[in-house]
Amino acid sequence: MKNDTILIGIVALVAGLIIGWMAGQKSSGPTPVPAASGPAPAAAPAPMVNAQQKVGELKAIVARDPQNRQAWVALGNEYFDADQPMEAVEAYQKALELNDKDANVLTDQGVMFRRLGWYDRAVANFSKANQVDPRHTISLFNLGITYRYDLQDLPKAQEAWTRFLAVNPNGPGSDRVRQELEFFKTPPPIPKP
């Protein structure tokens, strides 16, 4: 019985010390925060403009001034970002009617054609964008993607991506294109019947 009493006393003493230490930590005030060694925190982001409001404003601009190419491109971009491919295609078409030598607009419209499943029109846009600007890597990248994944035309995909690497050997997307081209070197095995 005496051992039980001693054990209970020790447990009570340890529990008391722990509780006392915790209470002391709590009442001693906040722990000072060390100075930050990294960059300052970013400022709060600017409030986002309502996309529908922006589309409405751009539609009003092009209604007043149908020759405003920048507004047509901006409207196409808003529809692109909102995943409204048909509307984007139409807005980009108006911009291209005013200047059909814009590789970026041709490519963006091509991406929307692809999203609609109009692969031949997408290929035509990507090809034209590359003719307008032979160093336009985004059009070559998308051309390869469309040939490879949508049309399953592997030789044309390989050709597009080879041209991509000739223009952009170490730039953005080059590692992804190299990985894609590796597929052509070691095609997957044919399943046995």
Side-chain angles (χ1 to χ4, degrees):
M1 190 76 153
K2 194 171 184 175
N3 288 340
D4 288 340
T5 307
I6 294 174
L7 182 61
I8 291 173
I10 292 174
V11 169
L13 178 64
V14 170
L17 288 173
I18 291 173
I19 291 170
W21 176 77
M22 289 172 59
Q25 289 293 321
K26 201 176 230 183
S27 65
S28 67
T31 305
V33 177
S37 60
M48 293 184 62
V49 175
N50 181 333
Q52 289 180 333
Q53 178 183 352
K54 182 79 171 173
V55 165
E57 291 169 1
L58 289 167
K59 286 172 82 172
I61 292 170
V62 297
R64 284 191 312 267
D65 182 10
Q67 300 300 308
N68 188 332
R69 185 178 176 287
Q70 288 179 316
W72 282 115
V73 172
L75 183 58
N77 291 342
E78 288 296 321
Y79 285 134
F80 185 111
D81 292 342
D83 196 24
Q84 294 178 283
M86 195 64 195
E87 292 83 356
V89 163
E90 292 169 0
Y92 288 141
Q93 187 58 42
K94 294 289 188 180
L96 290 168
E97 288 170 6
L98 298 170
N99 175 9
D100 67 346
K101 303 283 190 252
D102 187 326
N104 291 322
V105 173
L106 285 163
T107 299
D108 288 347
Q109 188 185 45
V111 170
M112 294 292 96
F113 282 143
R114 181 174 181 257
R115 188 156 302 148
L116 288 166
W118 300 348
Y119 306 124
D120 291 341
R121 292 185 80 179
V123 165
N125 269 51
F126 299 143
S127 297
K128 184 171 182 180
N130 193 249
Q131 289 169 355
V132 167
D133 180 1
R135 300 191 62 76
H136 195 261
T137 57
I138 297 168
S139 60
L140 289 170
F141 181 83
N142 282 294
L143 186 60
I145 292 288
T146 305
Y147 277 132
R148 165 75 171 91
Y149 292 99
D150 301 317
L151 299 173
Q152 283 79 45
D153 189 334
L154 302 183
K156 287 187 179 179
Q158 186 174 16
E159 177 187 330
W161 285 331
T162 300
R163 289 188 358 231
F164 174 95
L165 287 177
V167 173
N168 184 36
N170 298 311
S174 61
D175 289 339
R176 163 87 188 271
V177 168
R178 277 190 195 81
Q179 289 173 346
E180 292 286 351
L181 287 173
E182 276 300 310
F183 169 81
F184 299 109
K185 293 178 184 173
T186 56
I190 298 172
K192 295 179 182 178

